[in-house]
């Protein structure tokens, strides 16, 4: 029955493929599958092992099989994987929402550790995976791969899947881990993409210290200018909305302006060849800190849920698509004569990912612990294992980069290239499903009392995530509420700055924020107080 | 300064046009212009004459001039007008939101009048414009046009701009007029598109009564099946959300499912060659009547504003684009040798539109008034003039159909075709700007006491537009509250049905709704009551 319908649809899609409506059939299937993912993901919510990504992957693979059967082993997907689709439409809402919902205090307190992991760690991982690939693959019969290809493999498999991580770790249960792993993921995305572009553009035949220095300079320039662009766009949106006071006339204008300006920040970064991921992430942070407090209550509820919904749909679509793409018959047929080699390559890559990540998580955690005095802020061994494990998943960024490097607009006939594409698909599927399935139980075993942990390490209450708190607790604005914050009241000497740098920076930032930024750009405590805000809790009152 | 930046951007766009990022520059400009439209539209809100459409049109024309100057008179737009973009992405959210926010009681009470205006009226208008075009244009030197072209002109210029109408009339001030003009607009859109497709597909050389009958049958089939599809999709979404109770876990899932299923209804209709406009309109009505009451409070606020925002952005984009497209140098240069003819053609078309609309509004209003007993429900002469005037604007549907008929993917060199495209642009611009500017003052002069009017003709309080009322007034579900409803309590005889058919239908529908539909699909009064809902009023409390 279902096969009959899809068969008819496919037949129809062939007849109208020449017309303007060629995409309608694909879009129908995609939208229907997205609905199915939401409903089935909801039904499996209570399951101990499954998460939404794995559900979407499974549905994608099943759909791929059905399409493959009905189309007579010709094609398994209805849309060609497009980097544009991914980088221009799907990734921005996910990363923006992550910045919008992230617990800002946690994130900035661990800023140095996150940078260490995200930038230095990714470089270590890249070096190990590239070296390993050169060492192992040159002995195997997998077609011609240049030195550029090997370095590209290093950067492709250094890109962790921050999307998947977000679904596995819980911000409220393990805030330190969440902020570390997720923050690392964002910086890692940026580093990998920068690395990848550098490898494609730089002349790799003569690498010397000048080029390395140029590369480091390039990275620093990218990081700083991308961040600044995001912050400036966010502040501009806050200023416009505060000055013009849109809510007076229409909530819809506020919501539209926030969405459009967030997207504009990403597109501007892409236009200026910066890292859109970093830009839109910091734009999200600034918007949740200033802009979000300047809009009406309706706009707050709407933006919070709209951003989350967009992100959710984009994530589901990515996993659905990766699942459908896994059965890409064109690439599998090229390497079908040597299944052993294919399994070998995938296993080696998985091993290199495991080793490459271990090689920076444990040493860098040790270094990070040296700078912390407070034992609560140190990263314990069990937490290190969790960080190592939670970042092993590879996802859509790896897929997009692999398609860019090894195919010509989605197609390849070269044996080596096809091998790398299928290996990437295998690694992505295996790491997402197997590592992903095991992460939830692992976190439960390694960190048995997350409630206790979250109480020790204070969480930022002013994020949109729990926006009833800032409104009710408006009177005691400078509450702090956590031990570590009390330690740093009134640091008067340089010694203090050196011993607890991030706390001191945070203290002065807060003074600056209260004295200058919030009066100009708005923000919590600088907009009129409206009593009796319900909204978020209602979800639990319905039975 | 600004010209310099755009010049750089264009130079950049040319260099990267061959790469994957060709669209990034265009997208940056579009998003930035959309932001500008929102901000400037907000600043001009208080203006007596301007509305958002005209602002967007003006910004579009200015941008077109700047691009034209910087590109050296080569091109005035950055995106080629695409029917797919318009019909697949921009139109569905606008029409869906219209259905979602429409005052349902008003709409269904005037259903027969709306159908009369939308279907019969459009046919009359089509006949007059086609006949006029044949009569006048064959004498003028405007290149070769076939009989199919003339009939296409009739259907192109019969398509009123429901988007623009929505912005000019106010649902709360003039509910009867709004529901008539807007309802007519939706049916009119469907009729025009059906007519246009019929003209392109049917064999026009031998028109006989059998083909006419076939055409009428085709139209009825389209209307009924499109409506049914929309209603069924809406009911399915209500049933799924009621049964699975998404809000328990996540508001985002509910919002995502509502958006996706609404879009799915449109795409399914397009897939089945039905009228997506009608489908998504009725899907919106059903979703606001059932689905919207089954979701959490957060989801209600979010969906209400998200749909409105999407619709608002799509509308703004359409007008922005029509403005930019107005200076399409390629078509203007083809007809530049005969400016007099061009002005003549445009004037004749505008005249035909005026006459064609007058020819059905006044007679059909007379017929409609014959069926009404209650003088409050009759359409007075001043209201007829307003209906006639408010539907004179032509917009994006006309543009899209004209591009489809007279160009080959946006380009044409034929003199007759270029003449028709530029005339369409002129008519759209002139009618939107001049007629649009004059509508607000006209409504104020013709209908001086809208407050009084709106009190006479009761408005439906249960739409999302004012969703605090249904929650607070939950106890007296069967309130009615309007005079006309009290008249029809317990109609027991067939005579009653014949004298006040729509009221009786409404009464039985309500009984059926309470007894069967709402218990199954949810809806107001059939979901748990949550006290203390703020949300909508808050917008006015902030000063």
């Amino acid at each position: 029955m279902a096969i009959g319908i899809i068969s008819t649809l496919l037949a129809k899609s062939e007849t109208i493929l020449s017309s303007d409506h060629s995409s309608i059939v694909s879009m129908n299937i995609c939208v229907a599958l997205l609905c199915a993912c939401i409903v089935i993901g909801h039904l499996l919510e209570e399951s101990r092992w499954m998460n939404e990504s794995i559900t979407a992957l499974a549905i994608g693979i099943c759909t791929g099989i059905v399409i493959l059967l009905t189309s007579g082993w010709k094609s398994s997907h209805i849309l060609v994987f497009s980097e544009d689709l991914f980088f221009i439409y799907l990734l921005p809402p996910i990363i923006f929402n992550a910045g919008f919902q992230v617990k800002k205090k946690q994130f900035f307190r661990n800023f140095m550790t996150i940078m260490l992991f995200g930038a230095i760690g990714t470089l270590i991982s890249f070096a190990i995976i590239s070296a390993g690939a050169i060492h192992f693959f040159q002995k195997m019969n997998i077609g011609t791969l240049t030195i550029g290809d090997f370095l590209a493999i290093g950067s492709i498999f250094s890109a962790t899947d921050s999307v998947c991580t977000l679904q596995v770790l819980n911000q409220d249960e393990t805030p330190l881990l969440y902020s570390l792993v997720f923050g690392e993921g964002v910086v890692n995305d940026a580093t990998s993409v920068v690395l990848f572009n550098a490898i494609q553009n730089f002349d790799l035949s003569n690498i010397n210290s000048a080029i390395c220095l140029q590369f480091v300079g390039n990275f620093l320039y990218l990081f700083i200018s991308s961040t600044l662009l995001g912050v400036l766009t966010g502040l501009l949106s806050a200023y416009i909305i505060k000055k013009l006071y849109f809510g007076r006339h229409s909530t819809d204008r506020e919501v539209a302006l926030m969405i459009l300006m967030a997207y504009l920040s990403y597109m501007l970064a892409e236009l200026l060849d910066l890292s859109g991921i970093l830009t839109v992430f910091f734009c999200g942070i600034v918007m949740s800190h200033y802009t979000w407090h300047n809009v009406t209550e309706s706009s707050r509820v709407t933006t919070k849920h709209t951003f989350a919904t967009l992100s959710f749909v984009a994530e589901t679509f990515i996993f659905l698509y990766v699942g459908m793409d896994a059965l890409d018959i064109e690439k599998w047929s090229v390497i079908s004569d040597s299944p052993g080699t294919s399994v070998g390559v995938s296993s080696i890559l998985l091993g290199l990912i495991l080793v490459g990540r271990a090689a920076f998580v444990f040493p860098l955690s040790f270094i990070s612990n040296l700078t912390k005095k407070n034992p609560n802020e140190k990263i314990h061994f069990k937490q290190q294992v969790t960080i190592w494990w939670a970042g092993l998943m590879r996802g859509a960024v790896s897929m997009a980069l692999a398609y860019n490097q090894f195919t010509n607009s989605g197609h390849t006939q070269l044996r080596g290239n096809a091998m790398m594409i299928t290996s990437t698909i295998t690694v992505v599927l295996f790491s997402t499903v197997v590592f992903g399935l095991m992460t939830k139980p692992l976190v439960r075993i390694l960190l048995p009392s997350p409630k206790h942990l979250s109480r020790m390490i204070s969480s930022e209450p002013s994020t949109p995530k729990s926006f009833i708190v800032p409104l009710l607790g408006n009177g005691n604005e400078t509450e702090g509420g956590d031990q570590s914050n009390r330690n740093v009241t009134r640091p008067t000497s340089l010694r203090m700055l050196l011993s607890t740098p991030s706390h001191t920076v945070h203290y002065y930032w807060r003074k600056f924020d209260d004295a200058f930024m919030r009066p100009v750009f708005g923000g919590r405590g600088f907009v009129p107080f409206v009593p009796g805000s319900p909204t978020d809790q209602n979800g639990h009152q319905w039975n």
Side-chain angles (χ1 to χ4, degrees), chain A:
Chain A
M1 164 75 192
I3 291 177
I5 290 170
I6 290 166
S7 186
T8 320
L9 289 180
L10 283 172
K12 181 145 185 151
S13 96
E14 274 164 37
T15 56
I16 64 165
L17 233 140
S18 52
S19 84
D20 287 318
H21 299 281
S22 61
S23 52
I24 286 182
V25 177
S26 323
M27 290 189 70
N28 264 300
I29 296 177
C30 285
V31 175
L33 284 176
L34 278 175
C35 291
C37 284
I38 293 171
V39 172
I40 295 171
H42 171 77
L43 293 174
L44 294 174
E45 177 92 29
E46 303 298 329
S47 158
R48 189 193 166 117
W49 301 89
M50 294 296 273
N51 61 42
E52 213 110 38
S53 340
I54 299 173
T55 312
L57 264 182
I59 291 177
I61 292 175
C62 294
T63 315
I65 292 171
V66 172
I67 297 175
L68 206 59
L69 288 176
T70 50
S71 71
W73 299 93
K74 275 181 205 144
S75 164
S76 76
H77 45 203
I78 44 180
L79 292 169
V80 175
F81 189 89
S82 150
E83 288 160 70
D84 273 5
L85 178 72
F86 176 69
F87 280 113
I88 295 185
Y89 300 107
L90 298 176
L91 198 56
I94 297 174
I95 303 295
F96 176 80
N97 184 56
F100 200 75
Q101 313 270 7
V102 81
K103 290 188 191 293
K104 293 184 287 292
K105 202 183 273 177
Q106 273 294 332
F107 181 80
F108 285 110
R109 184 166 296 162
N110 300 306
F111 192 72
M112 287 317 292
T113 314
I114 287 168
M115 285 307 297
L116 210 59
F117 278 20
I120 312 293
T122 305
L123 286 176
I124 294 173
S125 172
F126 159 73
I128 288 175
I129 294 173
S130 296
I134 293 171
H135 179 76
F136 289 110
F137 293 168
Q138 279 187 337
K139 293 176 196 163
M140 294 165 82
N141 173 30
I142 54 162
T144 49
L145 291 174
T146 65
I147 180 79
D149 286 338
F150 287 119
L151 294 178
I153 290 170
S155 66
I156 288 167
F157 291 103
S158 303
T160 59
D161 188 2
S162 42
V163 176
C164 202
T165 311
L166 292 179
Q167 296 205 340
V168 168
L169 289 176
N170 188 311
Q171 181 161 236
D172 297 314
E173 285 177 9
T174 52
L176 175 66
L177 281 183
Y178 181 91
S179 74
L180 281 181
V181 172
F182 171 68
E184 181 217 323
V186 172
V187 182
N188 166 293
D189 278 344
T191 316
S192 308
V193 175
V194 171
L195 257 174
F196 186 79
N197 288 336
I199 290 159
Q200 287 201 319
N201 296 329
F202 277 66
D203 182 13
L204 293 163
S205 48
N206 49 351
I207 298 169
N208 55 32
S209 56
I211 285 180
C212 285
L213 213 66
Q214 195 186 340
F215 179 81
V216 171
N218 193 18
F219 178 75
L220 285 178
Y221 159 77
L222 265 182
F223 187 87
I224 292 166
S225 49
S226 302
T227 306
L228 272 182
L229 181 64
V231 170
L232 287 178
T233 321
L235 288 179
L236 184 67
S237 75
Y239 189 78
I240 290 176
I241 287 178
K242 182 159 187 271
K243 277 290 149 193
L244 297 183
Y245 222 92
F246 281 90
R248 198 166 25 128
H249 292 298
S250 145
T251 287
D252 308 329
R253 278 212 194 90
E254 292 179 341
V255 176
L257 202 71
M258 278 179 80
I259 295 175
L260 287 172
M261 289 202 67
Y263 194 62
L264 188 62
S265 77
Y266 185 86
M267 294 309 288
L268 271 178
E270 291 292 309
L271 183 71
L272 302 169
D273 289 326
L274 302 176
S275 164
I277 295 173
L278 274 174
T279 304
V280 83
F281 178 72
F282 280 100
C283 184
I285 289 180
V286 171
M287 277 202 177
S288 81
H289 192 64
Y290 298 110
T291 319
W292 194 74
H293 294 279
N294 297 346
V295 298
T296 61
E297 180 67 25
S298 305
S299 299
R300 288 186 207 183
V301 180
T302 307
T303 47
K304 174 181 174 254
H305 289 295
T306 304
F307 294 144
T309 305
L310 285 176
S311 167
F312 169 67
V313 172
E315 281 171 31
T316 311
F317 185 79
I318 289 173
F319 285 106
L320 188 63
Y321 192 78
V322 168
M324 276 163 81
D325 211 57
L327 297 163
D328 189 336
I329 200 74
E330 182 187 308
K331 280 105 197 174
W332 288 109
S333 65
V334 174
I335 57 135
S336 57
D337 55 329
S338 52
T341 318
S342 180
V343 172
V345 168
S346 305
S347 313
I348 290 168
L349 284 172
L350 279 169
L352 287 173
I353 289 170
L354 286 165
V355 173
R357 190 163 176 84
F360 78 82
V361 168
F362 299 106
L364 294 181
S365 298
F366 180 75
I367 295 172
S368 170
N369 283 344
L370 289 181
T371 65
K372 308 266 167 137
K373 290 267 166 69
N374 190 335
N376 285 338
E377 294 192 346
K378 293 197 179 192
I379 307 165
H380 304 295
F381 181 70
K382 284 183 174 177
Q383 293 178 320
Q384 294 177 19
V385 174
T386 312
I387 292 173
W388 170 67
W389 189 264
L392 286 177
M393 283 165 271
R394 297 296 175 266
V397 174
S398 298
M399 290 282 286
L401 295 181
Y403 267 81
N404 184 304
Q405 175 74 17
F406 294 112
T407 70
N408 185 7
S409 43
H411 299 285
T412 185
Q413 289 295 331
L414 282 175
R415 201 182 132 72
N417 290 357
M419 183 69 85
M420 290 324 301
I421 294 287
T422 52
S423 302
T424 310
I425 291 169
T426 314
V427 168
V428 167
L429 283 186
F430 187 87
S431 64
T432 306
V433 175
V434 178
F435 296 167
L437 280 179
M438 288 165 71
T439 307
K440 264 189 190 174
L442 191 83
V443 171
R444 214 172 290 133
I445 291 163
L446 286 176
L447 311 166
S449 59
K451 290 277 170 346
H452 174 62
L453 196 79
S454 69
R455 227 174 294 130
M456 286 199 306
I457 299 151
S458 78
S459 61
E460 162 77 274
S462 74
T463 49
K465 194 81 186 178
S466 59
F467 62 90
I468 190 157
V469 179
L471 284 167
L472 295 178
N474 218 26
N476 50 342
E477 222 315 88
T478 52
E479 79 311 28
D482 49 310
Q483 292 178 317
S484 46
N485 218 29
R486 279 183 213 139
N487 295 342
V488 293
T489 37
R490 311 204 179 287
T492 42
S493 69
L494 191 66
R495 190 181 53 79
M496 202 72 172
L497 179 66
L498 291 172
S499 61
T500 54
S502 66
H503 288 175
T504 319
V505 167
H506 185 244
Y507 172 82
Y508 280 111
W509 159 249
R510 214 157 163 166
K511 280 190 92 169
F512 175 68
D513 196 26
D514 288 340
F516 175 72
M517 297 297 275
R518 292 195 198 199
V520 174
F521 297 107
R524 186 152 61 101
F526 285 83
V527 280
F529 174 63
V530 173
S533 320
T535 51
D536 211 17
Q537 331 177 276
N538 289 351
H540 305 288
Q541 291 182 4
W542 306 67
N543 290 313

